[in-house]
Amino acid sequence: MKGRDWLVTEDGQYQTCQSVRAWDLLRDNYRFYRFLTEVEDALSDTEDETSHLPEIRMLVRRLIVNSYWVQSRYLEPSSKTGISVVLLYDELGFPFTVQTVTLAPGTSSKIHNHGTWGVVAVLKGEERNTFWQRTPDLNFHDKIERTGELTLFPGDIISYTPDAIHRVEAVGTQPTVTFNIYGETRMQERFEFDTVSHIARNF
């Protein structure tokens, strides 16, 4: 599974990052629990939320290269909402959650940030990311401005700083499946943005 690595920051800019070659990540008997332990170790070594993103991206790539189990842990999208989520890991006292998300073609999210770091790998389908940055003025403190878009394909991995603002949409003719890992969300810093009213609401 080929792919590119990306980083999105709070100014709405995105950049390619150095990616480890898949064949350098091949491991015998690489299990999900090993991945969880390695992520925990990576997080314990730093207090800066962005500095560990390169290592987390590498660990995610190692997992999806070696684990058919993870790649198969998803549901078909809901006929009502167009989205399905499988929670793979969410343990009290540990500062991250892991899930797979399936979006039906044409399904899109609200414009939002996460209030924490995140790393997302596309397993199947295509996902269009649109990015924004905050552009407050005297009248609208929560005004945002679109900065660009990027379409991701299977094997691509994208990472976000806590204040990065984006919207995702499943494009193409088949559902989009992603593997998502997020840090511990600071709910007071997680927002949904309205580009008409220029209001941000906690969600």
Side-chain angles (χ1 to χ4, degrees), residues 3-6 15-21 54 57-58 61:
R4 303 162 296 172
D5 283 13
W6 297 91
Q15 60 184 346
T16 57
C17 306
Q18 185 174 358
S19 178
V20 181
R21 297 177 302 178
R57 288 194 303 267
M58 182 276 292
R61 188 170 297 284

Side-chain angles (χ1 to χ4, degrees), residues 165-179:
I165 302 170
H166 73 139
R167 179 179 64 198
V168 299
E169 179 185 4
V171 295
T173 59
Q174 61 177 316
T176 297
V177 181
T178 58
F179 174 90

Side-chain angles (χ1 to χ4, degrees), residues 70-121:
V70 166
Q71 293 196 41
S72 65
R73 298 296 294 175
Y74 65 91
L75 299 173
E76 292 301 312
S78 165
S79 59
K80 293 183 179 180
T81 64
I83 183 172
S84 291
V85 178
V86 176
L87 186 61
L88 299 177
Y89 181 80
D90 182 15
E91 186 173 357
L92 185 65
F94 290 85
F96 60 93
T97 58
V98 184
Q99 60 192 27
T100 55
V101 177
T102 308
L103 297 176
T107 303
S108 63
S109 71
K110 301 288 187 179
I111 302 170
H112 65 282
N113 72 333
H114 287 278
T116 186
W117 60 268
V119 177
V120 176

Side-chain angles (χ1 to χ4, degrees), residues 2 12 27 46 66 101-102 109 139 154 162 173 181 184 186:
K2 296 181 179 179
R27 299 288 188 275
T46 179
N66 289 283
V101 177
T102 308
S109 71
N139 296 315
T173 59
I181 178 169
E184 189 170 12
R186 296 186 292 269

Side-chain angles (χ1 to χ4, degrees), residues 103 107-109 122 126-131 146 148-152 160 166-172 176:
L103 297 176
T107 303
S108 63
S109 71
V122 178
E126 303 173 22
E127 179 183 89
R128 179 187 297 131
N129 271 255
T130 308
F131 308 111
R146 185 179 179 276
E149 69 176 39
L150 176 68
T151 299
L152 304 175
Y160 305 95
H166 73 139
R167 179 179 64 198
V168 299
E169 179 185 4
V171 295
T176 297

